[in-house]
Amino acid sequence: MSSQPPTPHSPAPVSGRQGPQHHGLHDHSAQGQSLEGALQQAGFYPRLVADVVADALDGRDCVAHLVHLETHFDRAEVRRHISVLVLTEDMLVITHVDDQQLDEAGEQTVAQVSTESVPVTQIRSVVLSYVYAQPQDYKSSDPVRELTLSIAWSGGQRLDMGPASCGDPQCEADHGYSGTIAQEDIVLRISAEADGLQAVQDAKLFARALRAVNTGSSAPTPHTGPGLPPRARMGVFGNRLSRGHQR
């Protein structure tokens, strides 16, 4: 990972952009931004990430999206990576990008990219966990302070185990182990403090759209920007690829 995080770029108007236009990236839903706008705001190699996502979409339109940039501090280094979830009418496309520094000076850097395309019919569960502040004073207008989105489709499971106890603080007997098993293939935590209230709201809308498509109920309809021709199909991403953010 690079110790010098990429510099955010200001969003540019669509009419002034050079190069190929990506049809699906300009679609808007009820979320706060278009997919391309969210990538530009994240500022993590936005042009590279946009091209990779457009390639993986294979001409499909974006119904809903979730862009999540994570930052970790490791002593003197700042480590960042981005996860982009794009929902279409029949696929969930997951893209993960991070970078790696090849030399101590940071002059040689490579971006590591993985994409995975999951048919929505294969998604087993969509789990949302909420955190509210001061629940004793809760009002219907109070926003969610933190949201964790867990999506499972492959049957993979996470096992958390620890020593079991009987509740008696003086007991020294061996009670074995206890644990929980959770099905999850990807987990994203979105916090209002770190990511903003709009990011939490966008994550809720994404999960709602994913549930709607997965269960066959009415889902949001993508809106195509004016004057944007359909993008030619470039191939099908059918193989399961490893992701850098695997647990």
Side-chain angles (χ1 to χ4, degrees):
M1 302 291 292
S2 172
S3 60
Q4 298 294 329
T7 303
H9 299 278
S10 300
V14 175
S15 59
R17 286 179 60 88
Q18 301 295 324
Q21 300 291 330
H22 302 304
H23 179 60
L25 301 190
H26 297 277
D27 296 335
H28 291 264
S29 65
Q31 295 175 296
Q33 290 180 308
S34 67
L35 174 54
E36 184 175 22
L39 295 177
Q40 291 286 349
Q41 183 178 30
F44 191 81
Y45 309 114
R47 187 171 300 177
L48 168 64
V49 178
D51 284 346
V52 170
V53 171
D55 219 25
L57 285 176
D58 194 26
R60 295 176 173 85
D61 284 328
C62 171
V63 172
H65 63 272
L66 180 59
V67 176
H68 186 53
L69 179 66
E70 294 187 70
T71 303
H72 304 280
F73 297 94
D74 184 7
R75 296 183 180 178
E77 292 185 336
V78 178
R79 301 173 180 269
R80 302 206 301 173
H81 54 91
I82 193 170
S83 300
V84 182
L85 278 62
V86 180
L87 177 66
T88 73
E89 292 183 354
D90 63 339
M91 300 288 289
L92 174 62
V93 178
I94 303 103
T95 302
H96 184 79
V97 182
D98 59 18
D99 59 4
Q100 181 178 7
Q101 181 178 303
L102 299 181
D103 61 344
E104 294 184 358
E107 297 179 353
Q108 300 295 325
T109 304
V110 296
Q112 297 176 319
V113 182
S114 64
T115 63
E116 184 169 0
S117 300
V118 182
V120 294
T121 55
Q122 293 185 10
I123 295 175
R124 296 172 179 264
S125 67
V126 179
V127 179
L128 284 176
S129 302
Y130 301 91
V131 173
Y132 284 92
Q134 300 300 108
Q136 69 275 12
D137 301 323
Y138 172 78
K139 301 183 297 295
S140 297
S141 59
D142 289 351
V144 180
R145 304 304 303 178
E146 183 180 306
L147 182 147
T148 300
L149 172 64
S150 304
I151 308 172
W153 61 85
S154 70
Q157 296 179 330
R158 175 173 57 86
L159 176 62
D160 294 326
M161 295 192 65
S165 64
C166 64
D168 181 359
Q170 304 300 323
C171 180
E172 298 181 357
D174 184 359
H175 296 281
Y177 291 86
S178 64
T180 58
I181 297 177
Q183 283 194 336
E184 56 184 40
D185 284 283
I186 186 170
V187 178
L188 295 179
R189 175 179 170 268
I190 300 93
S191 166
E193 293 182 357
D195 308 299
L197 286 172
Q198 184 61 55
V200 177
Q201 179 65 18
D202 284 349
K204 289 176 62 179
L205 292 172
F206 177 83
R208 184 181 304 168
L210 179 57
R211 286 196 301 256
V213 173
N214 183 233
T215 58
S217 58
S218 178
T221 302
H223 301 283
T224 302
L228 296 176
R231 178 177 177 271
R233 294 185 177 273
M234 300 178 61
V236 178
F237 287 74
N239 295 328
R240 181 178 176 87
L241 302 179
S242 63
R243 294 195 301 276
H245 63 308
Q246 290 280 5
R247 295 159 307 281

